[in-house]
Amino acid sequence: MPKVYARRRLSILAAVTGLIAMAGIFNSPAASAALPTPVSAATARSYLASLTVATEDRTGYNRDLFPHWITVSGACNTRETVLKRDGTNVVTDSACAATKGSWYSVYDGATWTAASDLDIDHLVPLAEAWDSGADSWTTAQRQAFANDLTRPQLIAVTDNVNQAKGDQDPATWMPSRTSYACTYVRAWVQVKYYYDLSVDSAEKNKLSSVLSGC
């Protein structure tokens, strides 16, 4: 299924958004729903040490090989379920679409009141998973990965930030909110460990570096 992207904004709105994001860095909500809490830094370091180091190979990758978003319950699919989980005072219609609510994006510190401004990020991107071993999985396994609500793999974040991240690993992309770095790499390592995915050398070095300070 195609990924949902929000409309492009006018430059003046982008400037306002930037100010909101900056304010959010210093005034983030005291508590808000988010992805499942990842393993501790110590456990993540242990997991990372056990991961296979291998060169990535994207041969044959196609996003459609990872079916998403699937029905989770009733009329709600995975995207809608994450939006409800990660938002505050979320109201949905009969089709489970979020019509009202507030969402705090932990990657950049921005707060949004329209679901169209959010993407659901695969913390370990689908292409990255393919490069790291998912190319040998069955379609059912790839579907489970793409819709995993149990591991810290899916999170609602600012759409443009998610699009800028694309399929990059931590060696080339990290959330702009440095206070979220430890959580991000702990989650990354946990997902890779659970799914027995490899890491490349630059990726492992970056993960090790961040975890050493957690």
Side-chain angles (χ1 to χ4, degrees), residues 105-127:
S105 172
V106 293
Y107 286 1
D108 58 330
T111 297
W112 303 98
T113 57
S116 59
D117 288 316
L118 284 299
D119 273 358
I120 306 305
D121 180 40
H122 289 95
L123 194 134
V124 174
L126 304 183

Side-chain angles (χ1 to χ4, degrees), residues 6-19:
R7 302 178 302 277
R8 293 183 179 277
R9 293 162 178 77
L10 297 175
S11 58
I12 187 169
L13 182 55
V16 172
T17 297
L19 291 174

Side-chain angles (χ1 to χ4, degrees), residues 83-84 87-93 96-103 112-116 118:
L83 283 172
K84 188 172 183 179
T88 301
N89 299 322
V90 177
V91 176
T92 58
D93 61 20
C96 202
T99 59
K100 186 177 181 181
S102 176
W103 291 267
W112 303 98
T113 57
S116 59
L118 284 299

Side-chain angles (χ1 to χ4, degrees), residues 106-108 121 123 125 157 161-162 164-189 202-212 214:
V106 293
Y107 286 1
D108 58 330
D121 180 40
L123 194 134
V157 296
V161 171
N162 183 52
K165 171 186 173 180
D167 55 16
Q168 298 179 80
D169 69 30
T172 55
W173 190 92
M174 287 286 293
S176 61
R177 286 184 66 241
T178 55
S179 61
Y180 198 70
C182 283
T183 302
Y184 187 79
V185 298
R186 284 159 46 210
W188 184 282
V189 172
E203 176 187 356
K204 183 173 183 177
N205 289 340
K206 179 64 174 183
L207 292 167
S208 297
S209 175
V210 176
L211 284 171
S212 68
C214 296

